[in-house]
Amino acid sequence: MARFLDVHPDNPQPRFLQQIVDALHDDALLAYPTDSGYALGCRIGNRDGRDRILKIRGLDDRHHFPLICRDFSQLGQLVHVDNAAFRAIRAATPGPYTFILPAMPEVPRRLMHPKKRTVGVRIPDHRFVQELLDLLGEPMLSSSLILPGETEPRTMGWEIKEELDHDVDIVVEAGETPAEPTTVVDWSEGYPEVLRRGAGDPDRF
């Protein structure tokens, strides 16, 4: 059964944050709120966690897994960002956007698009996520919690606990969460292409 943690949205309790980080280091799979609905997350090195996410969401190996970053400097360690992309992405983050960019050599190949060698990156504008990543000290592998047959991410922690009780290890509740997924912008060819219109304003790209 999944553990349910009711975390304060503005001042996340340090003891809960530490418990979640410890669980992630033990290869736990987390259902957590973001600025664009709930997501599933685990450590980048958790191979089993990636497969569990694919199974829950009914996806295949070609799915782009966003890497959730604490800040822009952490993002820059994972992807190549040219000058034009740098200014636009820096201005839009943190926020409800996922950017697809060429991956750095340090990114595991299993997390890249098999042909394009790209990876999705994102910096959520959410207090809990920011503090969790700060304590974790590394980016997190993630995916919107959109179940098969649905088009929007889940928004209620207790519903996720009931439905995915045996599929995830921890469910975090932390205040209201919007239902709209991120806006996805592909910048891998040197110019922005909006692949999905979501919570972030796509017109700025």
Side-chain angles (χ1 to χ4, degrees):
M1 292 178 61
R3 185 176 181 190
F4 187 83
L5 293 177
D6 193 355
V7 177
H8 195 283
D10 299 317
N11 296 290
Q13 299 93 321
R15 69 181 187 281
F16 286 163
L17 290 170
Q18 187 61 59
Q19 289 169 15
I20 295 167
V21 166
D22 291 343
L24 288 170
H25 281 296
D26 287 335
D27 288 345
L29 180 60
L30 175 68
Y32 69 101
T34 76
D35 53 351
S36 60
Y38 265 79
L40 298 166
C42 64
R43 287 184 64 240
I44 288 178
N46 184 352
R47 291 175 177 268
D48 181 59
R50 173 185 175 275
D51 294 339
R52 290 169 69 186
I53 293 173
L54 289 174
K55 183 178 179 181
I56 291 170
R57 292 209 49 199
L59 300 169
D60 59 32
D61 283 339
R62 293 171 295 180
H63 177 67
H64 254 119
F65 276 96
L67 303 180
I68 306 300
C69 302
R70 180 185 67 248
D71 51 31
F72 198 86
S73 63
Q74 196 174 68
L75 180 149
Q77 296 172 13
L78 300 171
V79 291
H80 293 282
V81 185
D82 64 25
N83 289 337
F86 177 92
R87 290 189 294 271
I89 295 172
R90 187 71 180 264
T93 55
Y97 295 93
T98 299
F99 298 99
I100 297 173
L101 290 155
M104 297 287 272
E106 293 79 9
V107 175
R109 182 176 293 183
R110 60 189 170 82
L111 302 182
M112 300 180 193
H113 187 283
K115 293 182 179 179
K116 296 182 178 181
R117 305 298 295 272
T118 54
V119 68
V121 286
R122 150 160 163 68
I123 305 173
D125 186 13
H126 195 282
R127 183 67 179 269
F128 163 74
V129 181
Q130 292 284 338
E131 296 209 12
L132 176 65
L133 292 173
D134 188 52
L135 187 60
L136 183 62
E138 61 183 274
M140 191 164 61
L141 177 69
S142 190
S143 180
S144 297
L145 209 176
I146 303 174
L147 296 178
E150 299 181 358
T151 58
E152 294 182 345
R154 290 301 182 95
T155 62
M156 304 293 291
W158 63 270
E159 288 183 348
I160 296 167
K161 171 77 165 78
E162 287 186 353
E163 191 159 353
L164 300 180
D165 203 20
H166 298 286
D167 297 311
V168 302
D169 301 305
I170 298 175
V171 177
V172 175
E173 180 78 57
E176 293 185 9
T177 305
E180 201 169 8
T182 61
T183 292
V184 179
V185 182
D186 187 341
W187 215 304
S188 60
E189 300 296 330
Y191 58 88
E193 180 184 0
V194 177
L195 301 184
R196 181 179 71 193
R197 290 175 173 264
D201 180 10
D203 293 337
R204 67 192 306 164
F205 301 104

